[in-house]
């Protein structure tokens, strides 16, 4: 699989990574065996970047990844880069919780679960906006680098404005929602990150499954699945669920993306088309779709093997955004 340099770290990572929120719940039940199948399939398919967070299942996602890494001889043996995130365990989730003492506590627990002495990259996990302007926060992160608890740090953000503020710091990466139905990062964040040499991780690349074209008006989700309980931001930022696009419009958009995919001679799945779109966006380093079974992880990885999308296809996808999503998301996030 094609790889790109991950910002100033010097590491090369696959253009398709693996997001592991699903191992911690809020996407329905995934067994330990399913999680291992997904991880194995992804790595065998050339994926070299794995993204998780301490809050996913209150550590379950990290723990499963740690067991997997241990079973294959460690991340370094296989050229893997593991990224975790911290901060959302704070209760209450307030800016003052983002301090060195808490960082050290959270990261010591993450290192134990991941079976790592030093975590390659940690990202602040969508903190309150004021955190990005706090010198004390970044002094604490620098201290953790000096103590060899982490090698590098970055941020995971909700808004483009937060990303641009964070770029004033010595971060190595920005994680942000960017997909066919969420295009705002293309205009300012990606060019600014590229100019500074900062890696960009595109999350929610399939708009919580809308861009697979598999959902309908009658599709139901498990009660513990955030697609059931967070459509209007009841539990966390609504932009994390279906990318903030109203479900009925997202269903129609997904059908149109499926139509475009079916018209292409390469015959990608709608999901592969959506992932290829992300790869083609200048400034995106890696894309982190999740997967609930091994075949899905393999199909996601195969998206990197398709040729860059034609101007005609890109125009069709932009028209879908304009018709179904722009009014709902263009002025937000």
């Amino acid at each position: 699989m094609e790889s790109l340099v991950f910002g100033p770290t010097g590491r090369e990572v696959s253009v398709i990574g693996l997001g592991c929120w699903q191992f911690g719940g809020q996407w329905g039940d995934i067994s330990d065996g399913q999680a291992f199948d997904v991880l194995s399939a992804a790595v065998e398919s050339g994926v070299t970047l794995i993204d998780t967070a301490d809050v996913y299942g209150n550590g379950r996602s990290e723990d499963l990844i740690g067991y997997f890494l241990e079973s294959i001889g460690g991340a370094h043996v296989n050229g893997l880069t593991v990224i975790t995130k911290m901060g959302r365990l704070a209760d209450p989730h307030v800016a003052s919780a983002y301090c060195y003492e808490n960082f050290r506590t959270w990261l010591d627990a993450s290192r134990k679960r991941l079976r790592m002495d030093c975590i390659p990259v940690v990202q602040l996990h969508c903190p309150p906006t004021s955190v990005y302007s706090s010198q004390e926060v970044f002094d604490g992160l620098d201290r953790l680098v000096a103590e060899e608890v982490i090698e590098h740090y970055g941020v995971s953000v909700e808004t483009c404005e937060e990303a641009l503020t964070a770029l004033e710091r010595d971060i190595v990466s920005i994680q942000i929602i960017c997909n066919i139905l969420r295009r705002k990062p293309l205009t300012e964040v990606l060019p600014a990150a590229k100019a500074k040499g900062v890696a960009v991780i595109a999350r929610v690349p399939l708009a919580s499954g809308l861009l697979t074209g598999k959902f309908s008006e009658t599709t139901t989700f498990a009660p513990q699945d955030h697609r059931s309980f967070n459509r209007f931001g009841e539990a966390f930022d609504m932009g994390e669920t279906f990318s903030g696009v109203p479900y009925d419009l997202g269903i129609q958009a997904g059908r149109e993306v499926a139509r475009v995919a079916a018209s292409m001679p390469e015959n990608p799945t709608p999901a592969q088309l959506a992932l290829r779109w992300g790869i083609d966006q200048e400034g995106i380093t890696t894309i982190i779709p999740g997967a609930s079974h091994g075949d899905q992880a393999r199909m996601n990885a195969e998206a990197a093997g398709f040729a860059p999308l034609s101007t005609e296809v890109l125009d069709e996808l932009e028209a879908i955004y304009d018709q179904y999503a722009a009014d709902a998301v263009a002025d937000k996030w």
Side-chain angles (χ1 to χ4, degrees):
M1 189 189 299
E2 179 187 358
S3 295
L4 295 175
V5 177
F6 193 78
T9 70
R11 291 171 171 263
E12 289 196 355
V13 300
S14 53
V15 293
I16 298 289
L18 177 68
C20 296
W21 181 8
Q22 71 278 14
F23 299 163
Q26 296 188 326
W27 289 87
D29 293 328
I30 293 180
S31 69
D32 292 3
Q34 283 178 279
F36 269 65
D37 285 346
V38 168
L39 288 162
S40 296
V43 171
E44 290 168 3
S45 299
V47 167
T48 61
L49 182 136
I50 299 172
D51 175 88
T52 186
D54 56 6
V55 75
Y56 296 161
N58 198 27
R60 180 177 186 252
S61 179
E62 288 183 330
D63 204 33
L64 287 168
I65 292 167
Y67 272 122
F68 172 76
L69 295 175
E70 192 172 58
S71 74
I72 63 171
H76 63 285
V77 173
N78 296 276
L80 303 179
T81 294
V82 176
I83 295 175
T84 195
K85 301 184 288 293
M86 64 177 181
R88 302 298 296 195
L89 287 174
D91 186 16
H93 184 237
V94 294
S96 60
Y98 285 74
C99 61
Y100 169 80
E101 291 75 18
N102 284 343
F103 292 165
R104 186 63 196 249
T105 298
W106 294 330
L107 287 169
D108 284 349
S110 290
R111 290 192 296 164
K112 183 177 181 180
R113 289 189 290 263
L114 290 168
R115 283 85 169 157
M116 290 181 172
D117 293 328
C118 183
I119 296 174
V121 182
V122 68
Q123 295 184 320
L124 301 181
H125 197 175
C126 299
T129 301
S130 63
V131 167
Y132 300 103
S133 302
S134 170
Q135 185 61 46
E136 182 179 358
V137 166
F138 290 92
D139 286 345
L141 292 169
D142 287 334
R143 181 176 173 184
L144 291 162
V145 173
E147 293 172 349
E148 298 184 350
V149 174
I150 58 175
E151 291 182 39
H152 307 281
Y153 58 82
V155 296
S156 182
V157 303
E158 296 288 5
T159 71
C160 291
E161 289 74 17
E162 289 172 345
L164 295 172
T165 299
L167 279 169
E168 298 174 7
R169 303 288 177 172
D170 290 328
I171 58 173
V172 301
S173 61
I174 289 174
Q175 185 177 133
I176 192 167
I177 296 175
C178 188
N179 59 48
I180 290 170
L181 304 180
R182 278 280 292 271
R183 293 171 174 252
K184 191 174 179 181
L186 303 182
T187 57
E188 291 187 355
V189 175
L190 298 191
K194 183 180 178 182
K196 196 169 180 182
V198 170
V200 172
I201 304 169
R203 73 174 186 275
V204 198
L206 302 179
S208 305
L210 287 177
L211 294 174
T212 66
K214 295 179 179 179
F215 299 162
S216 73
E217 289 81 357
T218 60
T219 300
T220 58
F221 303 94
Q224 68 271 32
D225 190 318
H226 72 103
R227 293 171 293 187
S228 287
F229 66 76
N230 193 59
R231 292 190 184 187
F232 302 100
E234 297 94 327
F236 42 82
D237 192 287
M238 67 177 289
E240 301 288 344
T241 302
F242 299 129
S243 296
V245 178
Y247 185 72
D248 57 339
L249 295 177
I251 291 297
Q252 296 177 67
R255 288 177 179 142
E256 287 299 299
V257 171
R259 176 189 59 76
V260 174
S263 73
M264 297 173 62
E266 301 89 345
N267 197 33
T269 67
Q272 289 171 331
L273 171 57
L275 295 174
R276 183 67 239 188
W277 177 91
I279 295 171
D280 289 348
Q281 304 311 306
E282 187 174 5
I284 289 179
T285 308
T286 187
I287 303 162
I288 52 169
S292 58
H293 52 80
D295 287 345
Q296 189 177 29
R298 292 185 189 93
M299 291 183 72
N300 288 342
E302 288 172 3
F306 287 92
L309 301 179
S310 68
T311 301
E312 180 182 2
V313 168
L314 291 171
D315 288 346
E316 286 190 83
L317 296 176
E318 185 168 5
I320 293 169
Y321 164 77
D322 289 340
Q323 181 173 357
Y324 296 106
D327 287 345
V329 303
D331 294 330
K332 301 176 183 177
W333 299 293

